Amino acid sequence: MDELRDFLRSRGKITLTLVVVNILIFFVMDFRGNTENGAYMLAHGAAYGPLILENGEYYRLFTSMFLHFGIQHLINNMLLLLFLGDYLERAVGKIRYLVIYLGGGLVGNLCSYLHELFLMKTGEAPAVSAGASGAIFSAVGAMLVLLAFRKGRLEDLTFRRMAVMAVLSLLVGFQSSNVDNFAHIGGFLAGAVLMAVLYPGMARIRKRGKRP
């Protein structure tokens, strides 16, 4: 118990808050219904191209970031968020971290939505989508750019280690069914761009001796 308490205390506050919010939402929804049921998830904020396009329900691009299809989906995303988000939050500060996480997640979901529109035009059936992975991949992209700026090392992380993890994660997504790869790629690229934009300001603060 003490080890768990020490572990939680060592995590960044924003990262822990995001994890707790995702877990609470999942268990409330799972208690009230079946989180592996597409119709149930759709009724509670999952993303779905036709509803966004025809009804203007753009809020789904945001709410879907906090929904997960089943416990395994939740666990996979939250473990990665706990590990990676903690590094990024310490490195860039709470506000920048939130901008990268939420901004990248929104861009990732937007890319997924645009891909769904293309599929709809070709006659394919659209899919219900949800999950934090677009936002998490935004953190991955941001971390790679940050490591590049920091000469390839941040604490015990290296650029090579992060690059291998990013490539493997993307490959696993492409080899798996029911994975929203366009959200992953969109989030990854958005996180990289956001980090590139935010880093010069961080560097100026660091030179003045202030923490980000």
Side-chain angles (χ1 to χ4, degrees):
M1 192 66 181
D2 290 338
E3 289 80 2
L4 177 61
R5 189 180 298 112
D6 291 341
F7 173 80
L8 293 176
R9 285 177 178 173
S10 68
R11 302 299 96 179
K13 291 182 180 178
I14 299 299
T15 297
L16 268 183
T17 299
L18 289 169
V19 170
V20 169
V21 167
N22 275 280
I23 291 174
L24 286 177
I25 290 174
F26 174 81
F27 279 107
V28 168
M29 287 189 59
D30 201 56
F31 177 78
R32 298 176 62 187
N34 182 6
T35 56
E36 297 189 40
N37 180 276
Y40 177 71
M41 295 290 281
L42 186 61
H44 290 82
Y48 186 60
L51 290 181
I52 297 172
L53 176 65
E54 297 167 13
N55 297 355
E57 297 179 7
Y58 294 101
Y59 67 87
R60 293 179 180 275
L61 298 176
F62 178 81
T63 55
S64 60
M65 284 193 285
F66 296 92
L67 305 177
H68 289 85
F69 287 101
I71 188 67
Q72 194 61 52
H73 188 202
L74 175 76
I75 290 173
N76 290 342
N77 278 343
M78 293 305 101
L79 286 177
L80 186 55
L81 178 56
L82 266 177
F83 166 73
L84 185 60
D86 195 50
Y87 280 100
L88 189 59
E89 182 177 348
R90 285 199 301 271
V92 305
K94 295 177 176 56
I95 301 301
R96 293 183 183 88
Y97 174 52
L98 266 180
V99 169
I100 290 168
Y101 183 89
L102 296 177
L106 284 170
V107 172
N109 285 345
L110 179 60
C111 289
S112 174
Y113 166 61
L114 294 175
H115 178 244
E116 285 292 307
L117 292 186
F118 173 77
L119 292 180
M120 289 163 60
K121 288 182 178 180
T122 63
E124 292 192 38
V128 178
S129 62
S133 54
I136 293 170
F137 267 89
S138 178
V140 173
M143 185 63 75
L144 276 174
V145 171
L146 178 60
L147 283 163
F149 279 127
R150 297 285 294 271
K151 299 181 179 180
R153 181 171 290 276
L154 176 67
E155 298 181 29
D156 59 342
L157 279 182
T158 64
F159 182 88
R160 179 177 295 180
R161 182 182 173 189
M162 275 301 307
V164 169
M165 188 187 81
V167 170
L168 288 177
S169 297
L170 289 169
L171 286 176
V172 168
F174 279 110
Q175 293 172 356
S176 304
S177 59
N178 300 322
V179 173
D180 194 344
N181 291 299
F182 279 83
H184 292 182
I185 295 171
F188 178 87
L189 294 175
V193 171
L194 285 168
M195 188 71 254
V197 171
L198 293 171
Y199 187 82
M202 286 176 53
R204 287 193 294 270
I205 290 173
R206 194 172 287 111
K207 285 180 180 179
R208 294 200 301 267
K210 297 180 181 179
R211 299 184 66 181

